[in-house]
Amino acid sequence: MSERTALSEKNAMNQPAETPMPSATVEMEVPFHDVDMMEVAWHGHYVRYLEIARCKLLDMLDYNYPQMRESGYAWPVIDLRLRYAGPARFGQRIAVTARLREWENRLKLDYVIRDVESGKRLTRGHSVQVAVGLADGEMLLASPPALSERLAAWQASQSQTSPSQVAPSQTGDEDAPATPPPTRGTP
């Protein structure tokens, strides 16, 4: 049996085929202080835009940074990748979407930044965070129950979601953040 087939079977055994994964979108206007003399947003500011969307997503799960700390864990970013397809310019309205992709052993979020008016994708990327115990500074090899329980509660609340409320990536939108089957959808 190939590794890919084995992985597909493992995913099928561990989760329902249509397990919802949370996503959040924020809209903002590119401010003057974020742009260079060509009125293009400096590439480093995009990370802040992603963080704003990530915090909104974590708020949906009731597991943002204060709750992480209260549960005894820090979640440092260990990998961040961005791909710039087009510039964000001064005064432009942008929509930043963060979507949870993996959560069993790490938090992996996919992002896309779009122009609000045209819907054109400007940037895409992903980040990876790992749980680190605040008491001992040790990295966990699995996400703590505090996250798993909150995600399970969120997913249960979504079980009554109608098909019209399905995320863009589940309807064939090729520019939406890629959402392959998550590593684990139900605890």
Side-chain angles (χ1 to χ4, degrees):
M1 175 185 304
S2 74
E3 183 178 338
R4 185 177 180 148
T5 303
L7 182 59
S8 294
E9 287 181 11
K10 180 183 178 210
N11 283 341
M13 291 185 300
N14 288 334
Q15 72 182 45
E18 296 180 22
T19 303
M21 294 300 279
S23 68
T25 300
V26 296
E27 287 189 13
M28 62 187 72
E29 185 174 301
V30 177
F32 177 75
H33 57 80
D34 281 2
V35 300
D36 61 20
M37 61 190 290
M38 299 300 292
E39 296 188 1
V40 172
W42 176 65
H43 67 275
H45 289 304
Y46 289 73
V47 176
R48 181 167 27 102
Y49 305 155
L50 303 183
E51 181 69 20
I52 293 167
R54 177 173 48 230
C55 284
K56 182 173 182 179
L57 177 107
L58 294 171
D59 281 339
M60 286 174 42
L61 298 175
D62 190 32
Y63 197 62
N64 207 335
Y65 295 108
Q67 293 84 6
M68 290 174 178
R69 187 175 48 251
E70 289 169 11
S71 71
Y73 300 98
W75 286 82
V77 173
I78 62 166
D79 187 21
L80 175 66
R81 299 180 191 211
L82 293 174
R83 186 160 186 97
Y84 302 95
R89 299 187 180 278
F90 171 59
Q92 183 177 18
R93 297 283 309 159
I94 58 174
V96 186
T97 301
R99 178 169 291 113
L100 183 61
R101 179 173 170 186
E102 297 178 22
W103 62 272
E104 183 178 34
N105 300 315
R106 62 188 184 168
L107 281 178
K108 184 170 186 181
L109 283 82
D110 289 329
Y111 304 94
V112 68
I113 299 176
R114 295 180 180 280
D115 174 72
V116 169
E117 188 176 314
S118 69
K120 178 182 175 189
R121 180 175 41 90
L122 303 174
T123 307
R124 68 177 175 192
H126 73 262
S127 65
V128 176
Q129 296 172 256
V130 294
V132 174
L134 290 173
D136 59 11
E138 295 291 321
M139 183 176 81
L140 272 66
L141 299 178
S143 294
L147 172 63
S148 301
E149 292 164 2
R150 285 174 168 90
L151 184 58
W154 181 88
Q155 288 174 328
S157 74
Q158 299 302 303
S159 63
Q160 279 72 24
T161 303
S162 70
S164 65
Q165 295 172 313
V166 173
S169 66
Q170 297 169 338
T171 60
D173 181 359
E174 70 274 355
D175 282 338
T179 308
T183 57
R184 185 167 173 195
T186 55

